[in-house]
Amino acid sequence: MRNSKSERAGYWFIMPWLIGLLLFTIGPMLFSLLLAFSKWDIITGVQSIEWVGLDNFKTMFHDELFYQSLKVTFIFALVSVPLYQVASLLIALLLNMRNKGMKFFRLIYFMPSIIPAVAASMMWIMIFNPEYGILNRALALFGVQGPAWLQDPSYALGALIVMGLWGVGNTIIIYLSGLQGVPEELYEAANLDGAGPFQRFFNITLPMISPTVFFNVIMGIIGGFQYFTQAFVMTNGGPLNSTLFYNLYLYNKAFTDFEMGYASALSWVLFIIILAFTLLVIRSSSMWVYYQGDNEKD
Protein backbone atom coordinates (compact mmCIF):
# COMPACT_ATOMS: atom_id res chain seq x y z
CA MET A 1 0.00 0.00 0.00
CA ARG A 2 1.40 3.39 -0.96
CA ASN A 3 2.12 5.83 1.82
CA SER A 4 1.26 9.27 0.46
CA LYS A 5 2.79 11.04 3.46
CA SER A 6 6.13 9.32 2.90
CA GLU A 7 5.96 10.10 -0.82
CA ARG A 8 5.36 13.78 -0.16
CA ALA A 9 8.27 13.85 2.28
CA GLY A 10 10.46 12.23 -0.35
CA TYR A 11 9.51 14.85 -2.93
CA TRP A 12 10.29 17.63 -0.47
CA PHE A 13 13.73 16.14 0.17
CA ILE A 14 14.61 16.01 -3.54
CA MET A 15 13.04 19.40 -4.27
CA PRO A 16 16.35 21.38 -3.94
CA TRP A 17 17.99 19.02 -6.41
CA LEU A 18 15.05 19.29 -8.83
CA ILE A 19 15.10 23.10 -8.65
CA GLY A 20 18.88 23.12 -9.26
CA LEU A 21 18.47 20.72 -12.19
CA LEU A 22 15.81 22.92 -13.79
CA LEU A 23 17.61 26.23 -13.18
CA PHE A 24 21.22 25.27 -13.86
CA THR A 25 21.04 22.33 -16.29
CA ILE A 26 17.78 21.89 -18.22
CA GLY A 27 17.03 25.64 -18.40
CA PRO A 28 20.45 26.62 -19.88
CA MET A 29 20.32 23.64 -22.25
CA LEU A 30 16.94 24.72 -23.65
CA PHE A 31 18.17 28.32 -23.95
CA SER A 32 21.30 27.09 -25.72
CA LEU A 33 19.12 25.06 -28.13
CA LEU A 34 17.15 28.20 -28.94
CA LEU A 35 20.36 30.17 -29.50
CA ALA A 36 21.72 27.47 -31.83
CA PHE A 37 19.09 28.60 -34.34
CA SER A 38 19.61 32.30 -33.62
CA LYS A 39 22.11 35.08 -34.05
CA TRP A 40 23.02 36.85 -30.83
CA ASP A 41 25.80 39.19 -29.84
CA ILE A 42 25.87 38.62 -26.08
CA ILE A 43 26.87 42.19 -25.21
CA THR A 44 23.75 43.71 -26.83
CA GLY A 45 21.22 42.01 -24.54
CA VAL A 46 18.53 39.37 -25.09
CA GLN A 47 16.34 41.77 -27.07
CA SER A 48 18.77 41.47 -30.00
CA ILE A 49 18.30 37.70 -30.44
CA GLU A 50 17.47 37.10 -34.11
CA TRP A 51 16.09 33.79 -35.45
CA VAL A 52 18.26 32.53 -38.36
CA GLY A 53 17.09 28.93 -38.68
CA LEU A 54 19.84 26.53 -39.78
CA ASP A 55 22.32 29.26 -40.81
CA ASN A 56 24.68 28.55 -37.90
CA PHE A 57 24.94 24.90 -38.87
CA LYS A 58 25.41 25.77 -42.57
CA THR A 59 28.25 28.13 -41.61
CA MET A 60 30.14 25.21 -40.05
CA PHE A 61 30.48 23.50 -43.44
CA HIS A 62 32.57 26.46 -44.68
CA ASP A 63 34.48 27.09 -41.44
CA GLU A 64 38.09 25.83 -41.68
CA LEU A 65 38.69 26.29 -37.94
CA PHE A 66 35.65 24.12 -37.19
CA TYR A 67 37.25 21.25 -39.12
CA GLN A 68 40.66 21.95 -37.57
CA SER A 69 39.23 21.88 -34.02
CA LEU A 70 37.36 18.65 -34.82
CA LYS A 71 40.56 17.10 -36.16
CA VAL A 72 42.61 18.08 -33.08
CA THR A 73 39.92 16.85 -30.67
CA PHE A 74 39.43 13.54 -32.48
CA ILE A 75 43.18 12.83 -32.58
CA PHE A 76 43.47 13.67 -28.89
CA ALA A 77 40.48 11.52 -27.88
CA LEU A 78 41.41 8.53 -30.05
CA VAL A 79 45.00 8.50 -28.75
CA SER A 80 44.53 9.58 -25.14
CA VAL A 81 41.52 7.44 -24.17
CA PRO A 82 43.18 4.02 -24.84
CA LEU A 83 46.61 5.31 -23.71
CA TYR A 84 45.32 6.59 -20.36
CA GLN A 85 43.23 3.45 -19.76
CA VAL A 86 46.17 1.11 -20.38
CA ALA A 87 48.56 3.23 -18.28
CA SER A 88 46.03 3.55 -15.43
CA LEU A 89 45.31 -0.18 -15.39
CA LEU A 90 49.00 -1.12 -15.39
CA ILE A 91 49.74 1.25 -12.50
CA ALA A 92 46.65 0.01 -10.63
CA LEU A 93 47.88 -3.58 -11.02
CA LEU A 94 51.22 -2.59 -9.51
CA LEU A 95 49.53 -0.71 -6.66
CA ASN A 96 47.27 -3.69 -5.97
CA MET A 97 50.24 -5.79 -4.88
CA ARG A 98 50.33 -6.41 -1.17
CA ASN A 99 53.85 -5.18 -0.57
CA LYS A 100 55.13 -3.09 2.29
CA GLY A 101 54.76 0.66 1.79
CA MET A 102 52.20 0.32 -1.02
CA LYS A 103 49.86 2.84 0.67
CA PHE A 104 52.58 5.46 0.29
CA PHE A 105 52.91 4.80 -3.45
CA ARG A 106 49.11 4.95 -3.86
CA LEU A 107 49.18 8.38 -2.27
CA ILE A 108 52.05 9.50 -4.52
CA TYR A 109 50.19 8.46 -7.68
CA PHE A 110 46.93 10.07 -6.58
CA MET A 111 48.37 13.40 -5.40
CA PRO A 112 48.69 14.97 -8.90
CA SER A 113 44.93 14.58 -9.30
CA ILE A 114 44.20 17.01 -6.48
CA ILE A 115 46.41 19.76 -7.94
CA PRO A 116 44.28 22.35 -9.79
CA ALA A 117 44.52 22.04 -13.56
CA VAL A 118 45.76 25.61 -13.96
CA ALA A 119 48.59 25.13 -11.43
CA ALA A 120 49.58 21.83 -13.07
CA SER A 121 49.53 23.51 -16.49
CA MET A 122 51.89 26.27 -15.29
CA MET A 123 54.24 23.63 -13.93
CA TRP A 124 54.23 21.71 -17.22
CA ILE A 125 54.94 24.91 -19.17
CA MET A 126 58.23 25.07 -17.25
CA ILE A 127 58.89 21.34 -17.77
CA PHE A 128 58.38 21.71 -21.54
CA ASN A 129 60.46 24.91 -21.78
CA PRO A 130 63.06 24.29 -24.53
CA GLU A 131 65.83 26.26 -22.75
CA TYR A 132 65.60 25.48 -19.04
CA GLY A 133 62.89 22.80 -18.91
CA ILE A 134 63.71 19.61 -17.02
CA LEU A 135 62.51 17.39 -19.89
CA ASN A 136 64.99 18.70 -22.46
CA ARG A 137 67.78 18.71 -19.87
CA ALA A 138 67.08 15.04 -19.14
CA LEU A 139 67.15 14.25 -22.86
CA ALA A 140 70.44 16.15 -23.18
CA LEU A 141 72.02 13.68 -20.72
CA PHE A 142 71.50 11.00 -23.39
CA GLY A 143 72.75 13.25 -26.19
CA VAL A 144 69.25 14.00 -27.51
CA GLN A 145 68.35 17.53 -28.55
CA GLY A 146 64.82 18.12 -27.28
CA PRO A 147 62.37 20.11 -29.41
CA ALA A 148 60.49 23.30 -28.50
CA TRP A 149 57.56 21.21 -27.30
CA LEU A 150 54.79 23.79 -27.02
CA GLN A 151 56.12 26.15 -29.70
CA ASP A 152 56.45 23.51 -32.45
CA PRO A 153 53.20 22.50 -34.25
CA SER A 154 54.61 19.01 -34.75
CA TYR A 155 55.04 18.38 -31.02
CA ALA A 156 52.50 20.60 -29.21
CA LEU A 157 49.54 18.19 -29.34
CA GLY A 158 51.74 15.22 -28.43
CA ALA A 159 53.09 17.17 -25.46
CA LEU A 160 49.54 17.76 -24.17
CA ILE A 161 48.74 14.05 -24.58
CA VAL A 162 51.86 13.09 -22.60
CA MET A 163 51.03 15.67 -19.96
CA GLY A 164 47.59 14.06 -19.51
CA LEU A 165 49.26 11.01 -17.98
CA TRP A 166 50.00 13.27 -15.02
CA GLY A 167 46.33 13.38 -14.04
CA VAL A 168 45.27 9.72 -14.30
CA GLY A 169 45.18 9.30 -10.52
CA ASN A 170 41.37 9.26 -10.35
CA THR A 171 41.19 6.54 -13.00
CA ILE A 172 43.84 4.54 -11.14
CA ILE A 173 41.82 4.69 -7.94
CA ILE A 174 38.69 3.40 -9.72
CA TYR A 175 40.66 0.54 -11.31
CA LEU A 176 42.21 -0.24 -7.95
CA SER A 177 38.80 -0.54 -6.29
CA GLY A 178 37.71 -2.85 -9.13
CA LEU A 179 40.80 -5.03 -8.73
CA GLN A 180 40.25 -5.38 -5.01
CA GLY A 181 36.73 -6.69 -5.68
CA VAL A 182 38.00 -9.72 -7.63
CA PRO A 183 37.47 -12.86 -5.44
CA GLU A 184 40.73 -14.45 -4.32
CA GLU A 185 39.20 -17.94 -4.74
CA LEU A 186 39.30 -17.50 -8.51
CA TYR A 187 43.06 -16.90 -8.47
CA GLU A 188 43.57 -19.84 -6.08
CA ALA A 189 41.61 -22.14 -8.39
CA ALA A 190 43.56 -20.86 -11.41
CA ASN A 191 46.86 -21.48 -9.61
CA LEU A 192 45.80 -25.06 -8.88
CA ASP A 193 45.09 -25.50 -12.59
CA GLY A 194 48.56 -24.18 -13.41
CA ALA A 195 47.48 -20.89 -14.98
CA GLY A 196 50.27 -18.35 -15.54
CA PRO A 197 50.16 -14.58 -14.87
CA PHE A 198 48.92 -13.68 -18.35
CA GLN A 199 46.22 -16.37 -18.28
CA ARG A 200 45.06 -15.16 -14.86
CA PHE A 201 44.95 -11.57 -16.12
CA PHE A 202 43.07 -12.20 -19.39
CA ASN A 203 40.75 -14.96 -18.09
CA ILE A 204 40.02 -13.69 -14.58
CA THR A 205 41.12 -10.13 -13.87
CA LEU A 206 40.04 -8.46 -17.09
CA PRO A 207 36.55 -10.06 -17.27
CA MET A 208 35.92 -9.38 -13.57
CA ILE A 209 36.83 -5.69 -13.84
CA SER A 210 35.18 -5.19 -17.24
CA PRO A 211 32.36 -3.07 -15.68
CA THR A 212 35.08 -0.80 -14.25
CA VAL A 213 36.78 -0.61 -17.67
CA PHE A 214 33.41 0.20 -19.22
CA PHE A 215 32.83 3.07 -16.76
CA ASN A 216 36.33 4.50 -17.21
CA VAL A 217 36.13 4.34 -21.02
CA ILE A 218 32.82 6.22 -21.00
CA MET A 219 34.22 8.89 -18.66
CA GLY A 220 37.43 9.04 -20.73
CA ILE A 221 35.50 9.66 -23.95
CA ILE A 222 33.44 12.42 -22.36
CA GLY A 223 36.54 14.03 -20.84
CA GLY A 224 38.62 13.65 -24.02
CA PHE A 225 36.09 15.44 -26.20
CA GLN A 226 35.67 18.20 -23.60
CA TYR A 227 39.39 18.91 -23.14
CA PHE A 228 39.87 22.62 -22.51
CA THR A 229 41.74 24.02 -19.49
CA GLN A 230 45.28 22.81 -20.23
CA ALA A 231 45.08 23.86 -23.90
CA PHE A 232 43.68 27.26 -22.90
CA VAL A 233 46.42 27.91 -20.33
CA MET A 234 49.43 26.34 -22.06
CA THR A 235 48.99 27.04 -25.77
CA ASN A 236 45.69 28.89 -26.29
CA GLY A 237 45.22 26.84 -29.45
CA GLY A 238 48.66 27.54 -30.95
CA PRO A 239 51.05 27.23 -32.56
CA LEU A 240 49.29 27.50 -35.92
CA ASN A 241 46.07 26.07 -34.43
CA SER A 242 47.78 22.73 -33.81
CA THR A 243 46.15 22.55 -30.34
CA LEU A 244 42.89 24.29 -31.18
CA PHE A 245 40.57 21.91 -29.33
CA TYR A 246 36.86 21.99 -30.09
CA ASN A 247 35.91 23.37 -26.68
CA LEU A 248 38.58 26.07 -26.97
CA TYR A 249 37.24 27.14 -30.37
CA LEU A 250 33.71 27.11 -28.95
CA TYR A 251 34.86 29.31 -26.05
CA ASN A 252 36.57 31.76 -28.41
CA LYS A 253 33.42 32.07 -30.49
CA ALA A 254 31.25 32.68 -27.42
CA PHE A 255 33.41 34.96 -25.27
CA THR A 256 36.00 36.47 -27.64
CA ASP A 257 33.98 36.95 -30.84
CA PHE A 258 30.66 37.18 -28.89
CA GLU A 259 28.93 34.95 -31.46
CA MET A 260 26.76 33.18 -28.90
CA GLY A 261 24.39 31.67 -31.48
CA TYR A 262 27.20 30.04 -33.45
CA ALA A 263 28.87 28.87 -30.22
CA SER A 264 25.59 27.26 -29.11
CA ALA A 265 25.32 25.44 -32.43
CA LEU A 266 28.89 24.21 -31.96
CA SER A 267 28.03 22.97 -28.47
CA TRP A 268 25.09 20.93 -29.75
CA VAL A 269 27.24 19.35 -32.45
CA LEU A 270 29.71 18.36 -29.73
CA PHE A 271 26.85 16.97 -27.64
CA ILE A 272 25.73 14.78 -30.55
CA ILE A 273 29.30 13.54 -31.17
CA ILE A 274 29.81 12.57 -27.51
CA LEU A 275 26.36 10.98 -27.36
CA ALA A 276 27.08 8.93 -30.50
CA PHE A 277 30.40 7.59 -29.16
CA THR A 278 28.87 6.90 -25.75
CA LEU A 279 25.96 4.98 -27.27
CA LEU A 280 28.40 3.05 -29.47
CA VAL A 281 30.35 1.91 -26.41
CA ILE A 282 27.14 1.10 -24.51
CA ARG A 283 25.76 -0.96 -27.43
CA SER A 284 29.05 -2.88 -27.69
CA SER A 285 29.24 -3.50 -23.95
CA SER A 286 27.12 -6.68 -24.14
CA MET A 287 30.03 -8.30 -26.05
CA TRP A 288 32.81 -7.50 -23.58
CA VAL A 289 31.39 -6.40 -20.21
CA TYR A 290 30.73 -9.21 -17.73
CA TYR A 291 28.32 -8.77 -14.82
CA GLN A 292 28.23 -11.41 -12.11
CA GLY A 293 24.42 -11.49 -12.15
CA ASP A 294 24.31 -12.41 -15.85
CA ASN A 295 24.85 -16.13 -15.21
CA GLU A 296 22.18 -16.17 -12.51
CA LYS A 297 19.63 -14.72 -14.95
CA ASP A 298 20.52 -17.37 -17.54
Side-chain angles (χ1 to χ4, degrees), residues 14 32 39 42 47 66 89 169 180 205 209 233 260 280:
I14 64 171
S32 168
K39 181 180 179 182
I42 189 172
Q47 69 275 8
F66 165 72
L89 181 55
Q180 293 183 349
T205 305
I209 66 166
V233 174
M260 193 58 73
L280 184 66

Short mmCIF file of all heavy atoms in Angstrom, two decimals, residues 14 32 39 42 47 66 89 169 180 205 209 233 260 280:
data_model
loop_
_atom_site.label_atom_id
_atom_site.label_comp_id
_atom_site.label_asym_id
_atom_site.label_seq_id
_atom_site.Cartn_x
_atom_site.Cartn_y
_atom_site.Cartn_z
N ILE A 14 13.89 15.88 -2.26
CA ILE A 14 14.61 16.01 -3.54
C ILE A 14 14.31 17.33 -4.25
O ILE A 14 14.87 17.61 -5.31
CB ILE A 14 14.27 14.84 -4.50
CG1 ILE A 14 12.79 14.86 -4.89
CG2 ILE A 14 14.65 13.51 -3.88
CD1 ILE A 14 12.45 13.88 -6.00
N SER A 32 20.22 27.32 -24.75
CA SER A 32 21.30 27.09 -25.72
C SER A 32 20.74 26.52 -27.03
O SER A 32 21.19 26.89 -28.12
CB SER A 32 22.33 26.13 -25.12
OG SER A 32 23.22 25.68 -26.09
N LYS A 39 20.91 34.26 -34.02
CA LYS A 39 22.11 35.08 -34.05
C LYS A 39 22.04 36.04 -32.87
O LYS A 39 21.05 36.76 -32.72
CB LYS A 39 22.18 35.86 -35.36
CG LYS A 39 23.41 36.72 -35.51
CD LYS A 39 23.38 37.46 -36.85
CE LYS A 39 24.62 38.35 -36.99
NZ LYS A 39 24.57 39.11 -38.28
N ILE A 42 26.22 38.66 -27.50
CA ILE A 42 25.87 38.62 -26.08
C ILE A 42 25.91 40.00 -25.40
O ILE A 42 25.17 40.25 -24.45
CB ILE A 42 26.82 37.63 -25.34
CG1 ILE A 42 26.34 37.39 -23.91
CG2 ILE A 42 28.24 38.12 -25.38
CD1 ILE A 42 27.11 36.29 -23.20
N GLN A 47 17.29 41.21 -26.10
CA GLN A 47 16.34 41.77 -27.07
C GLN A 47 16.87 41.73 -28.50
O GLN A 47 16.10 41.87 -29.47
CB GLN A 47 15.95 43.21 -26.69
CG GLN A 47 17.07 44.23 -26.83
CD GLN A 47 17.94 44.29 -25.58
OE1 GLN A 47 17.81 43.45 -24.69
NE2 GLN A 47 18.83 45.26 -25.52
N PHE A 66 36.55 25.16 -37.72
CA PHE A 66 35.65 24.12 -37.19
C PHE A 66 36.23 22.74 -37.50
O PHE A 66 36.31 21.88 -36.62
CB PHE A 66 34.27 24.29 -37.83
CG PHE A 66 33.36 23.10 -37.64
CD1 PHE A 66 32.81 22.81 -36.40
CD2 PHE A 66 33.07 22.26 -38.71
CE1 PHE A 66 31.99 21.70 -36.23
CE2 PHE A 66 32.25 21.16 -38.55
CZ PHE A 66 31.69 20.88 -37.31
N LEU A 89 45.50 1.21 -15.81
CA LEU A 89 45.31 -0.18 -15.39
C LEU A 89 46.63 -0.83 -14.98
O LEU A 89 46.69 -1.55 -13.97
CB LEU A 89 44.64 -0.98 -16.51
CG LEU A 89 44.33 -2.45 -16.22
CD1 LEU A 89 43.48 -2.57 -14.96
CD2 LEU A 89 43.60 -3.09 -17.40
N GLY A 169 45.32 9.83 -11.88
CA GLY A 169 45.18 9.30 -10.52
C GLY A 169 43.76 8.85 -10.20
O GLY A 169 43.55 7.80 -9.58
N GLN A 180 40.38 -4.84 -6.36
CA GLN A 180 40.25 -5.38 -5.01
C GLN A 180 38.92 -6.11 -4.80
O GLN A 180 38.73 -6.75 -3.77
CB GLN A 180 40.42 -4.26 -4.00
CG GLN A 180 41.85 -3.71 -4.02
CD GLN A 180 42.10 -2.64 -2.97
OE1 GLN A 180 41.17 -2.14 -2.35
NE2 GLN A 180 43.36 -2.29 -2.79
N THR A 205 41.10 -11.54 -14.26
CA THR A 205 41.12 -10.13 -13.87
C THR A 205 40.33 -9.25 -14.83
O THR A 205 39.43 -8.50 -14.41
CB THR A 205 42.58 -9.62 -13.79
OG1 THR A 205 43.33 -10.47 -12.93
CG2 THR A 205 42.61 -8.21 -13.26
N ILE A 209 36.85 -7.16 -13.98
CA ILE A 209 36.83 -5.69 -13.84
C ILE A 209 36.28 -5.02 -15.10
O ILE A 209 36.40 -3.80 -15.24
CB ILE A 209 38.24 -5.13 -13.52
CG1 ILE A 209 39.19 -5.36 -14.71
CG2 ILE A 209 38.80 -5.73 -12.24
CD1 ILE A 209 40.47 -4.53 -14.60
N VAL A 233 45.35 27.31 -21.12
CA VAL A 233 46.42 27.91 -20.33
C VAL A 233 47.78 27.79 -21.01
O VAL A 233 48.56 28.74 -21.05
CB VAL A 233 46.48 27.26 -18.93
CG1 VAL A 233 47.68 27.77 -18.13
CG2 VAL A 233 45.19 27.52 -18.16
N MET A 260 27.35 34.16 -29.80
CA MET A 260 26.76 33.18 -28.90
C MET A 260 25.88 32.17 -29.64
O MET A 260 25.83 30.99 -29.26
CB MET A 260 25.94 33.90 -27.82
CG MET A 260 25.54 33.02 -26.67
SD MET A 260 26.96 32.27 -25.83
CE MET A 260 27.63 33.68 -24.96
N LEU A 280 27.67 4.12 -28.78
CA LEU A 280 28.40 3.05 -29.47
C LEU A 280 29.07 2.12 -28.46
O LEU A 280 29.00 0.89 -28.59
CB LEU A 280 29.45 3.68 -30.39
CG LEU A 280 30.25 2.72 -31.27
CD1 LEU A 280 29.32 2.07 -32.30
CD2 LEU A 280 31.38 3.46 -31.99
#
